[in-house]
Amino acid sequence: MPAEGGKTDMERIGLFSEMEYITVGDKYVSQFNRPFNEAASKNKQMLPGGSKEMSDLQAGYFDPHFVRIFEGEGYINLNQVRRRDMMEAAKKNLGKAFLPSSGEKKPCGLGSYYGTIGGPVPFFSAQSKPREKYKAPGKNLYTNPGKKGTGYGYANITIGKQFSHSADFYDAAKLNYKKANEEHHRLLKGAPFKLNLHPRDYFDANPYFSEESLPPIIKEKKKKSISNTFKPSSPGKKPGGMKAGTFDPYPSHSANPYVAKLANISGKDDKIFHPPSGPKSRPVESIMTLNVRRALNSKNYKTSSVPSY
């Protein structure tokens, strides 16, 4: 329909042509009734020749003829190999096969031990075990019928005998305490023991406290410092190639006559030197030397102080 202005709807949208309507006139088919593969039901399909079963015929295999794994191998009869092995094993037997002296014995009934190796088992025997002689229990306790009465004001109605009457004094406890106290004082010897100790605090006293007076303070005597420095009387002598700077004079030369020493020829009786076995010891530096080397080195020997040990 042309709109206002003389232009159609397609001209206003700007498309070259209108989109096709694909579903117009098609029959509606539900998604449940549609086939899974529509192409499988149209045109010609691939028809296989059917499944082949495994058999001795060549039709059960993919290859057109039987293919051998090895070409030209020798034929081996397995039965012949088994017989040969059995004959070689029979040659190793020392004698004939073991045969029992008589045939096997068969049991003659349920619960019978005939034909067994061990024989009857005494634990499973049906005989009764020896038991102790039965002793009848003793007779029951016979009692008299209960005595009548409530217990208040009635005599001889309890199981035991009637209690005998005994007089009870009014101040019996006081009299007993007085007798025991008199007996206790009679056994005492001398006055009671008392400690002459002053009560102390919870903590210990000062262990460094002393009631004695301190000795007078000993004043250290100051050593007189030498003001003048020591100077030798004369400077040291320098060696001039003639031992002039030594304390002792030049040692006198003693002529040693040249005598050729003959080498000792070892005899049969002389012992041969055998070096000791095992590793030989080596010089080991002490821990003190190592500590001194660590503390003093070429960089701090001028500024380091002398350690006090």
Side-chain angles (χ1 to χ4, degrees), residues 1-308:
M1 295 296 292
E4 297 178 1
K7 292 184 179 181
T8 61
D9 295 336
M10 297 302 299
E11 291 176 352
R12 285 190 294 100
I13 295 174
L15 299 176
F16 293 100
S17 61
E18 189 177 358
M19 299 298 293
E20 297 179 355
Y21 297 94
I22 301 173
T23 58
V24 174
D26 295 342
K27 294 182 180 180
Y28 175 75
V29 181
S30 176
Q31 60 180 353
F32 299 102
N33 298 330
R34 293 177 183 175
F36 175 74
N37 189 2
E38 295 181 2
S41 60
K42 296 179 181 180
N43 302 327
K44 294 183 178 181
Q45 306 296 326
M46 184 178 66
L47 300 176
S51 60
K52 297 181 181 181
E53 296 181 358
M54 197 72 174
S55 63
D56 293 339
L57 302 177
Q58 191 61 37
Y61 299 92
F62 291 99
D63 297 333
H65 61 277
F66 291 101
V67 180
R68 298 178 60 85
I69 300 176
F70 298 102
E71 294 291 343
E73 74 274 12
Y75 174 74
I76 298 175
N77 190 356
L78 295 179
N79 293 332
Q80 188 178 0
V81 175
R82 293 193 194 97
R83 293 192 189 97
R84 189 194 313 158
D85 295 340
M86 292 173 62
M87 292 174 63
E88 292 179 358
K91 292 179 181 178
K92 298 179 181 179
N93 295 333
L94 299 178
K96 297 180 180 180
F98 172 74
L99 296 175
S101 58
S102 59
E104 60 176 342
K105 299 178 181 180
K106 296 182 180 180
C108 59
L110 185 62
S112 174
Y113 293 96
Y114 179 78
T116 58
I117 300 175
V121 182
F123 182 79
F124 295 102
S125 177
Q127 296 180 1
S128 60
K129 298 180 181 179
R131 299 180 180 179
E132 296 181 356
K133 188 178 180 181
Y134 175 76
K135 293 182 180 179
K139 294 182 180 181
N140 294 330
L141 178 67
Y142 293 99
T143 59
N144 292 328
K147 297 179 181 180
K148 298 179 180 181
T150 59
Y152 299 99
Y154 293 88
N156 299 325
I157 60 174
T158 57
I159 297 176
K161 295 181 179 180
Q162 189 70 20
F163 293 102
S164 61
H165 176 72
S166 60
D168 187 10
F169 297 100
Y170 179 75
D171 294 335
K174 188 176 181 180
L175 294 174
N176 294 336
Y177 175 76
K178 186 176 181 182
K179 290 180 182 180
N181 194 13
E182 290 176 357
E183 182 66 18
H184 173 67
H185 284 285
R186 187 182 65 81
L187 297 175
L188 292 177
K189 296 180 181 180
F193 177 74
K194 296 182 180 180
L195 296 174
N196 297 327
L197 294 178
H198 189 271
R200 295 183 177 180
D201 297 334
Y202 292 104
F203 302 98
D204 297 337
N206 187 4
Y208 302 100
F209 178 77
S210 178
E211 297 180 355
E212 299 179 359
S213 60
L214 297 175
I217 300 173
I218 300 175
K219 296 182 179 180
E220 296 181 358
K221 295 181 180 180
K222 296 182 179 180
K223 297 181 180 180
K224 294 180 179 180
S225 60
I226 301 173
S227 59
N228 300 329
T229 56
F230 172 74
K231 293 182 180 180
S233 58
S234 59
K237 298 177 182 180
K238 296 181 180 180
M242 55 181 179
K243 305 296 181 181
T246 58
F247 292 98
D248 298 333
Y250 187 78
S252 59
H253 177 70
S254 59
N256 294 329
Y258 176 76
V259 178
K261 294 183 179 181
L262 299 176
N264 294 330
I265 301 172
S266 60
K268 295 181 179 180
D269 298 334
D270 296 340
K271 294 182 179 180
I272 301 172
F273 172 73
H274 296 281
S277 60
K280 299 179 180 178
S281 61
R282 298 180 180 179
V284 181
E285 293 182 356
S286 64
I287 299 175
M288 181 65 71
T289 306
L290 293 176
N291 292 335
V292 169
R293 286 187 178 182
R294 291 173 183 172
L296 297 176
N297 49 48
S298 60
K299 294 182 179 180
N300 66 346
Y301 74 97
K302 290 183 179 180
T303 58
S304 63
S305 60
V306 179
S308 59

